[in-house]
Amino acid sequence: MLITLLVALATFSSSLQVHAATSHFIAGERTALRPSRLPSLRGPRPHTYRNDALRSIGCLVEKFYDQRLDHFHPENTHTFRQRFFVCEKFWSFTPGGGRGPIFFYAGNEADVELYVNATGLIWENAAAFGANIVFAEHRYYGKSEPFGPNSWASDPSVLTVEQALADYAALLTRIKGDAGAQASPVIAFGGSYGGMLAAWMRVKYPHIITGAVAASAPVGAFPGVPGWDPTRFWAVATYDATAAAGSAPECAGNVRLAFAAVRLLGSTAAGRATLQGLLRLCDPLPDAGAAEDVAYWLQGAFDAYAMGNYPYPSAYISGDPDRPLPAWPMRAACRAMRGSGLKPSNLVSNLREAVGLLYNVSGDQPCFRVSAQGPAAGNVGPWDYQWCTELMAQELPYYPATGKSDMFWDQGPFNLSAINEHCAAAWGVTPRADWASTTYGGLDYRYASNIAFSNGLYDPWSAYGVLSNVSASVVALIIPEGAHHLDLMYSHPADPPSVRAVRAAEMRLVADWIAGHQRSAREGAAVEQAARAAVEEAQRVQWGPADL
């Protein structure tokens, strides 16, 4: 989705590796879906690391919980080791003697250490709230693989949202029980897919989750949601490349022209030889299909720049703390696309420099290598399985651009039939297109409470988020200059005022939810005490025949 952009970049020690498998799906005379042209943008980072802020706190403990493999079939008693991180340093006692709240991060589709390191909103506010901090890892990711390494390849059958939500509910219940903290309110936090899980946890387990901060959560990114349009993702990405978003005025137009030149060159053998030189590709392009793969590879860089369009240098997208992307990476990329009346060859060369901010972040690559790898059926990894069973959002290669509402080219319609063919070949499954909207309600949160949906308007996933208040307790918080869940990141001097205001609003809501939970607990205790007294009084009364 989704969501958190996890770019599957290989190490940069030799030359850039971008994996694109070779299968093609043809609808009519155009390529409707080439699901393997790129790896999923959601995959394991090259590595994770502990940031200095967490080292200085010195409280983080890695733990494992024996989690049920299947929560919904009691005859299956198998378990697996689910990893989570906890910091109890700030967990205080309330005046009444109970424990303070729990700040719970609902882990995404990656190694949970990524979110431990990046989610500054939790770390910066835990002390003020006297909160316990828990980061849970999603099954099949990181070290929480039920069947060992690459569990998705051996048996992905229990990789579902429902199982993941039940994991988190069971884990929290155990943590609270072990600490005698059953009355502690739990605030769920999450960004991207994790934001969806946080919101859905509040809806599905309101007795466990008191409130949810759901950042950049594309809960409406499903075909069954009224008004869903996959092309809107690329329209928002293109907005980042316009003057309205701070980029060079000519950028979006020149990018569109550059892609037209790339595709024209890719249509002939002589043109592909020229294209190889202009893009500095290590290997020749044998056919038009290989040239098309390169075009989607180029498009993927702008996807990353839009989601990672942060106001300061950040390693969240590059995955390497020593080589972060620059501040406002879309603006930086667009500086390579300035000018008017440029020749097609200059446009393509400039496009190479623009994408090099991501694909040559080290700055020392002599050439780019686009290599084919993986099963011919499609993308590799657990996230593609989640796409193929639940259509958990994935922009490339499934969301088409139009070439009109965006700066790319006409990629044809969203083709669910071709997707069904891919999923049957790759996984032996067929997506349930309406399941998520049926189960979780899409954008309809009229019956929910205590959820804050935040969205940055530089983030393409905002196209599928909750962008207006649903009720007094389900609110939309907008960050005009925000990219993908910027509000969850650590505070930074370069933060725009809008994100600072949204963070403050989120924590005011958290305080209100906690106060409401505690007030409800006191009222419930008073009612229970009164009922107990009434029972005791009734038991003291001696009824006789005359009273009947």
Side-chain angles (χ1 to χ4, degrees), residues 118-133:
T119 314
L121 185 69
I122 287 178
W123 292 105
E124 292 177 347
N125 288 280
F129 282 82
N132 188 15
I133 298 173

Side-chain angles (χ1 to χ4, degrees), residues 109-199:
E109 70 284 18
D111 187 314
V112 73
E113 289 184 52
L114 174 66
Y115 312 108
V116 170
N117 282 297
T119 314
L121 185 69
I122 287 178
W123 292 105
E124 292 177 347
N125 288 280
F129 282 82
N132 188 15
I133 298 173
V134 179
F135 283 82
E137 189 164 72
H138 196 295
R139 57 170 57 202
Y140 283 85
Y141 296 96
K143 294 182 180 179
S144 300
E145 299 203 63
F147 308 107
N150 296 326
S151 290
W152 56 269
S154 58
D155 183 359
S157 62
V158 285
L159 175 54
T160 68
V161 170
E162 291 86 352
Q163 296 282 5
L165 296 179
D167 286 345
Y168 296 159
L171 175 63
L172 284 166
T173 300
R174 178 63 178 270
I175 289 172
K176 293 172 72 173
D178 286 350
Q182 288 87 346
S184 288
V186 179
I187 306 300
F189 295 80
S192 192
Y193 174 48
M196 301 168 75
L197 295 174

Side-chain angles (χ1 to χ4, degrees), residues 31-71:
T31 300
L33 174 67
R34 300 179 55 165
S36 326
R37 60 170 74 99
L38 286 175
S40 169
L41 289 185
R42 285 164 175 72
R45 293 271 183 166
H47 61 270
T48 56
Y49 60 96
R50 295 279 172 83
N51 65 29
D52 292 337
L54 295 189
R55 288 196 190 98
S56 65
I57 292 173
C59 67
L60 196 64
V61 178
E62 180 185 54
K63 295 187 176 183
F64 290 86
Y65 173 61
D66 288 334
Q67 186 67 260
R68 288 188 69 96
L69 181 65
D70 188 340
H71 294 279

